[in-house]
Amino acid sequence: DEEFNELCFEFGLELDEITSEKDIISKEKGEEKAKGASDTVLYKIDVPANRYDLLCLEGLVRGLQVFKERINLPRYEKIIPAQGEGQRLIITEETVQVRPHAVAAVLRNISFTKERYDSFIDLQEKLHQNICRRRALVAIGTHDLDTISGPFTFTAKAPSEIKFKPLNQSQEYTASEIMDLYRTDSHLRHYLHLIENKPLYPVIYDSNGVVLSMPPIINGDHTKISVNTRNVFIECTGTDITKAKIVLDIIVTMFSEYCEKPFSVEAAEVVYPNGKTHIYPELAYRKEKVKPELINKKVGISETPSSLAKLLTRMCLKSHVIGNGNNIEIEIPPTRADIIHACDIVEDAAIAYGYNNIQMTIPKTYTIANQLPLNKLTELLRLDLAAAGFTEALTFALCSQEDIADKLGMDISATKAVRIANPKTAEFQVARTTLLPGLLKTIAANRKMPLPLKLFEISDIVVKDPDTDVGARNYRHFCAVYYNKSPGFEIIHGLLDRVMQLLEVPPNEENGYTIKATEGSAFFPGRCAEIFAKGQSIGKLGVLHPDVITKFELTMPCSALEINIEPFV
């Protein structure tokens, strides 16, 4: 296990955990349910999302064997049958509206065992979830070729005209009935929306009118493959031709290993509505050239061109040095659709070299990190507010509409609050526009604590702002509350003076701060003041209105102060 974990890491994978079916079930559902489950050891391996060729045991083992230099990378070859003998898939123009593309291939004289068969089905499922985007871009169908006879037709018909026996069902249904049948199916119901509102449903027939499949929902039962199947017809239909070709290439390269002639695939001909024909699978090999200096520079190593070529060959990219060592020519096999740019090749060279083997060096450029001035000010203020006897609270940035509007006696439209489009709970509907409700809710939750309660918070609030690129803006606010048997206005006022003293803002009008009487919906009439500094209004302080106090389920008077600290940075 240790060695395998190490090997996975070297190859750029992660062995997530070593477990068994029994362990998994007992973790999720308890010991009772796990009785009778298998004890066979399972390796959970994390594969990067771009490596479709490692999504099944066959590809993973092949990749690791090549990496360990135990085998050479196999050469995948497509066999084009004699004229008139190969399989043909004819696409009709009705499909254009629903799923316009299709590709096909045949695996001849394949020998399945239970494990190989399970792996074959499992790979299709993994591809469906991954590159096929839950079958929206591509849907894969695999059929027992000996139960049908070509040429095959890919067309689209009205749901009422399509009738067949779906996979593992006992009777025939029309397409509309199939949709209703699978509405409650935990697995297939997620794919119904892809075609259910279309006027025509895609369907594939053989020359005798037998239905192979109704992509992307279900295959027909007539053509289902089993462990004894010898010849497999594979079709991939979709809305994205590039992805369909990749998916077909992956499936045939992974499982052609089990054909009578290993790594050979029989090609099929696809006829388009305009009469043009194309042979699939493409199984295209292509050559790329990369300069050794580029690889060395990007990775931070100094290897000879020939050892770089050897590293790349271990990563299934057959390479050799050309032109006096000035270039490396790399052959990209059809299994590696993820190699798009030279940087993908450089990355593979780095993996084969071993990330842990790259020497750590100090960067050539000096950059000295510094704290964001606003955060520095926040940190300094927090320390001194705590020294002034106030306790810091951290509250949620999201709250309900009532908290910032109704409970404070305001209208929600006046708050300029940013709303969540699909809130999961009533508690988190909008982003807070003031810190006060959070602190009042904190006091409500701590009513059993001895009085007085003195709390503060310095955090961001969010308001709509059409002038910014995202339509909203954050402001760093400071809020403090004092909760006791008497309102304690003088304590909150004293705290304001202390904060201004710390910020070195004098109490005068020219270049300091002043307070002026005002009215605020959340405050007691005649006991509210607006604070001005740096020539602008920065917030309010005062005694809270009794209605506000009762709405937050409090019973004692409370005074509060809230200011924006950004002007002081």
Side-chain angles (χ1 to χ4, degrees):
D1 289 348
E2 289 287 305
E3 288 173 328
F4 185 68
N5 186 9
E6 195 57 34
L7 174 63
C8 283
F9 181 79
E10 284 172 16
F11 191 55
L13 308 175
E14 188 181 349
L15 179 56
D16 206 24
E17 62 173 324
I18 298 170
T19 176
S20 70
E21 212 168 282
K22 198 171 188 172
D23 285 353
I24 295 172
I25 297 172
S26 68
K27 252 189 211 161
E28 287 173 5
K29 301 179 178 164
E31 297 281 326
E32 282 302 303
K33 292 264 166 70
K35 279 186 182 152
S38 117
D39 275 336
T40 316
V41 174
L42 295 177
Y43 284 175
K44 265 191 176 175
I45 301 171
D46 269 347
V47 175
N50 57 343
R51 291 296 299 268
Y52 314 117
D53 56 318
L54 304 178
L55 285 177
C56 63
L57 186 66
E58 288 70 16
L60 185 62
V61 169
R62 202 177 300 161
L64 288 170
Q65 293 277 43
V66 172
F67 182 68
K68 296 281 281 176
E69 301 182 82
R70 291 186 185 164
I71 60 168
N72 287 327
L73 184 67
R75 185 91 195 167
Y76 306 104
E77 116 182 77
K78 74 173 158 199
I79 295 168
I80 299 175
Q83 191 65 38
E85 283 183 21
Q87 298 302 334
R88 283 165 67 217
L89 177 62
I90 299 156
I91 305 178
T92 67
E93 54 201 11
E94 287 82 15
T95 59
V96 173
Q97 304 304 319
V98 224
R99 270 181 115 69
H101 304 293
V103 296
V106 176
L107 290 175
R108 278 276 171 210
N109 298 324
I110 193 166
S111 33
F112 280 127
T113 61
K114 170 136 189 8
E115 286 76 18
R116 294 172 182 183
Y117 174 80
D118 290 345
S119 177
F120 188 56
I121 301 298
D122 197 39
L123 173 66
Q124 291 174 49
E125 204 34 60
K126 285 205 171 70
L127 290 169
H128 273 153
Q129 295 307 319
N130 180 339
I131 180 175
C132 306
R133 291 282 177 276
R134 299 224 169 94
R135 303 193 190 179
L137 304 181
V138 189
I140 309 159
T142 51
H143 312 278
D144 186 337
L145 187 58
D146 300 328
T147 61
I148 40 181
S149 60
F152 306 101
T153 311
F154 174 41
T155 182
K157 288 191 167 184
S160 52
E161 291 175 33
I162 303 171
K163 190 172 187 186
F164 66 103
K165 184 166 138 189
L167 192 62
N168 301 335
Q169 296 291 336
S170 50
Q171 64 184 79
E172 289 199 344
Y173 296 94
T174 64
S176 325
E177 290 166 348
I178 289 174
M179 293 304 238
D180 294 332
L181 176 69
Y182 289 127
R183 227 171 273 297
T184 52
D185 185 289
S186 63
H187 177 57
L188 292 173
R189 61 168 188 210
H190 305 296
Y191 309 121
L192 302 182
H193 70 93
L194 294 172
I195 60 167
E196 70 182 332
N197 299 324
K198 301 272 199 312
L200 303 178
Y201 287 3
V203 61
I204 300 178
Y205 292 102
D206 82 341
S207 56
N208 302 323
V210 173
V211 171
L212 276 70
S213 68
M214 182 172 85
I217 312 298
I218 190 85
N219 287 355
D221 193 67
H222 181 88
T223 62
K224 79 167 170 203
I225 62 172
S226 68
V227 178
N228 305 321
T229 300
R230 294 288 291 148
N231 299 301
V232 182
F233 178 68
I234 302 166
E235 41 83 8
C236 301
T237 60
T239 51
D240 182 327
I241 185 70
T242 313
K243 298 267 195 294
K245 289 184 203 169
I246 293 174
V247 168
L248 184 67
D249 277 350
I250 292 293
I251 292 179
V252 296
T253 51
M254 292 303 113
F255 286 89
S256 53
E257 174 175 345
Y258 303 132
C259 292
E260 199 167 52
K261 185 176 179 203
F263 306 115
S264 68
V265 185
E266 182 182 308
E269 185 177 35
V270 173
V271 185
Y272 291 102
N274 61 9
K276 286 191 178 151
T277 65
H278 199 299
I279 303 284
Y280 290 106
E282 290 195 338
L283 288 187
Y285 282 87
R286 67 173 213 273
K287 299 262 171 70
E288 295 284 352
K289 289 188 184 125
V290 176
K291 293 204 177 303
E293 307 84 86
L294 177 80
I295 300 178
N296 280 328
K297 186 177 164 207
K298 294 274 184 216
V299 181
I301 52 180
S302 49
E303 290 290 292
T304 61
S306 58
S307 72
L308 287 173
K310 196 174 164 193
L311 290 176
L312 288 168
T313 304
R314 286 176 55 204
M315 294 300 288
C316 302
L317 301 173
K318 203 166 158 202
S319 311
H320 59 271
V321 182
I322 55 170
N324 300 335
N326 294 336
N327 256 332
I328 298 177
E329 186 174 68
I330 297 126
E331 184 176 52
I332 318 288
T335 47
R336 294 299 305 271
D338 59 300
I339 304 282
I340 299 169
H341 183 276
C343 68
D344 298 307
I345 295 170
V346 173
E347 182 192 13
D348 269 12
I351 291 172
Y353 184 80
Y355 283 1
N356 285 349
N357 302 328
I358 299 169
Q359 288 296 313
M360 284 176 126
T361 53
I362 290 174
K364 297 274 190 295
T365 49
Y366 278 121
T367 53
I368 295 166
N370 225 331
Q371 200 174 7
L372 204 65
L374 180 61
N375 288 345
K376 188 172 182 184
L377 176 64
T378 304
E379 295 295 319
L380 291 168
L381 273 177
R382 285 171 60 213
L383 280 172
D384 279 302
L385 288 163
F390 279 70
T391 304
E392 184 170 28
L394 279 173
T395 60
F396 290 117
L398 298 178
C399 57
S400 68
Q401 291 194 17
E402 286 76 52
D403 289 344
I404 57 166
D406 309 0
K407 289 184 182 178
L408 298 179
M410 283 175 75
D411 188 57
I412 186 74
S413 55
T415 60
K416 295 207 276 194
V418 177
R419 288 168 192 242
I420 307 287
N422 47 351
K424 279 269 191 291
T425 63
E427 276 297 293
F428 299 139
Q429 295 170 325
V430 291
R432 61 182 172 194
T433 55
T434 156
L435 300 178
L436 188 58
L439 289 180
L440 294 178
K441 280 156 74 176
T442 307
I443 293 179
N446 290 282
R447 279 174 303 201
K448 295 198 175 65
M449 302 298 274
L451 294 173
L453 287 174
K454 298 152 82 172
L455 299 180
F456 81 93
E457 178 170 13
I458 307 182
S459 287
D460 280 7
I461 60 121
V462 185
V463 286
K464 281 187 188 157
D465 182 352
D467 300 335
T468 60
D469 52 353
V470 290
R473 184 186 288 280
N474 286 22
Y475 290 103
R476 184 68 52 89
H477 273 205
F478 153 58
C479 180
V481 291
Y482 176 81
Y483 179 72
N484 201 355
K485 292 191 169 87
S486 65
F489 180 82
E490 65 286 354
I491 290 177
I492 281 295
H493 192 174
L495 187 71
L496 170 69
D497 290 343
R498 173 67 181 143
V499 169
M500 291 300 165
Q501 186 186 2
L502 291 163
L503 293 169
E504 297 180 358
V505 180
N508 60 38
E509 268 190 43
E510 285 79 57
N511 53 0
Y513 73 100
T514 53
I515 61 174
K516 294 195 172 81
T518 181
E519 295 300 321
S521 59
F523 294 97
F524 202 89
R527 302 240 184 126
C528 171
E530 193 164 7
I531 306 155
F532 292 89
K534 305 257 177 181
Q536 66 195 69
S537 164
I538 58 165
K540 286 188 176 130
L541 85 160
V543 178
L544 292 181
H545 199 289
D547 289 354
V548 173
I549 289 173
T550 47
K551 279 177 183 161
F552 280 99
E553 298 168 20
L554 301 176
T555 49
M556 306 268 182
C558 180
S559 50
L561 150 73
E562 181 160 4
I563 61 170
N564 173 9
I565 63 165
E566 293 195 6
F568 304 106
V569 172

